[in-house]
């Protein structure tokens, strides 16, 4: 039975679990930094493991310190491989975790604004207030570094949505009003 092989984490006290999470973060960040092929499956798998630990135990200051130290050694472009997972958490409820995430996304956005513009444009239309607010803050940071690119990309996004609406849909909507 596999449940006998893998111990359950439900009954592990935090004073045991947190040091394990910190050491795992340090080891994974070191492995990512040493990874020779940036887009290899092992590097991506390690990145996803880091994200799992980060978003589960990110409220712990020692873990955040290990994470930030590791981020300094990992090439910034590595984070592009897990960008959808990062953007999915822009409205994370834990303030310190969200702050570190936003700082990473801003660093990514100054170097690769084109990778963040469209997903953030979609998040700007979110019905969830916290998500929309987070996207607005990130978009403002991107705009301060590359105003013309951001404005042009948002215009293209808006026009694509406008053109994608069928005449029948627009006509039906007008009739309903």
């Amino acid at each position: 039975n596999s449940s006998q092989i893998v111990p359950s984490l439900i009954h592990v006290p935090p004073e045991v679990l947190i040091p394990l999470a910190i050491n795992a973060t340090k080891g994974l960040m070191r492995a990512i930094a040493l990874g020779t092929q940036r887009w290899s499956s092992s590097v991506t798998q390690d990145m996803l493991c880091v994200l799992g630990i980060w978003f589960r135990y990110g409220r712990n200051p020692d873990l955040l310190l290990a994470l930030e130290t590791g981020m300094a050694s990992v090439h910034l472009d590595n984070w592009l491989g897990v960008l959808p997972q990062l953007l999915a958490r822009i409205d994370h409820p834990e303030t310190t975790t969200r702050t570190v995430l936003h700082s990473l996304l801003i660093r990514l956005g100054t170097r690769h604004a084109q990778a963040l513009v469209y997903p953030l444009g979609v998040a700007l239309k979110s019905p969830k207030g916290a998500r929309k607010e987070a996207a607005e803050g990130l978009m403002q940071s991107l705009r301060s570094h590359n105003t013309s690119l951001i404005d042009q990309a948002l215009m293209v996004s808006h026009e694509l949505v406008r053109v994608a609406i069928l005449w029948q849909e627009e006509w039906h909507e007008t009739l309903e009003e």
Side-chain angles (χ1 to χ4, degrees):
N1 187 358
S2 65
S3 64
Q4 294 172 348
I5 298 170
V6 180
S8 173
L9 295 179
I10 296 171
H11 304 294
V12 178
E15 57 271 6
V16 172
L17 202 55
I18 295 299
L20 294 174
I22 293 169
N23 288 332
T25 300
K26 288 177 183 177
L28 288 165
M29 294 302 271
R30 186 76 178 134
I32 294 164
L34 294 174
T36 55
Q37 295 177 341
R38 190 171 297 152
W39 307 113
S40 73
S41 61
S42 62
V43 170
T44 303
Q45 187 175 7
D46 290 345
M47 299 285 291
L48 293 171
C49 287
V50 167
L51 293 182
I53 295 168
W54 179 8
F55 294 125
R56 184 170 296 139
Y57 304 108
R59 66 182 123 345
N60 183 284
D62 294 331
L63 186 117
L64 280 179
L65 179 64
L67 187 68
E68 288 175 323
T69 304
M71 281 182 184
S73 66
V74 170
H75 195 276
L76 187 61
D77 291 356
N78 281 356
W79 296 102
L80 290 173
V82 293
L83 189 58
Q85 289 84 357
L86 294 172
L87 290 169
R89 302 292 182 118
I90 61 172
D91 58 341
H92 195 276
E94 180 63 40
T95 307
T96 53
T97 301
R98 191 175 57 244
T99 302
V100 173
L101 173 62
H102 284 204
S103 110
L104 174 62
L105 287 172
I106 290 168
R107 284 180 35 226
L108 261 175
T110 56
R111 186 176 215 159
H112 300 285
Q114 72 281 358
L116 275 85
V117 172
Y118 183 73
L120 285 177
V122 171
L124 284 171
K125 297 176 177 94
S126 174
K128 290 176 58 181
R131 184 165 186 72
K132 185 176 182 177
E133 185 179 312
E136 286 171 352
L138 288 166
M139 194 64 88
Q140 282 304 107
S141 295
L142 291 179
R143 186 175 272 127
S144 69
H145 294 293
N146 205 337
T147 307
S148 63
L149 175 70
I150 302 303
D151 290 341
Q152 290 171 3
L154 288 175
M155 180 183 67
V156 168
S157 174
H158 174 72
E159 287 300 312
L160 286 173
V161 170
R162 187 183 67 78
V163 171
I165 297 174
L166 297 174
W167 283 102
Q168 292 89 352
E169 291 174 4
E170 198 168 326
W171 182 73
H172 184 66
E173 187 177 316
T174 305
L175 282 177
E176 285 182 354
E177 288 176 8

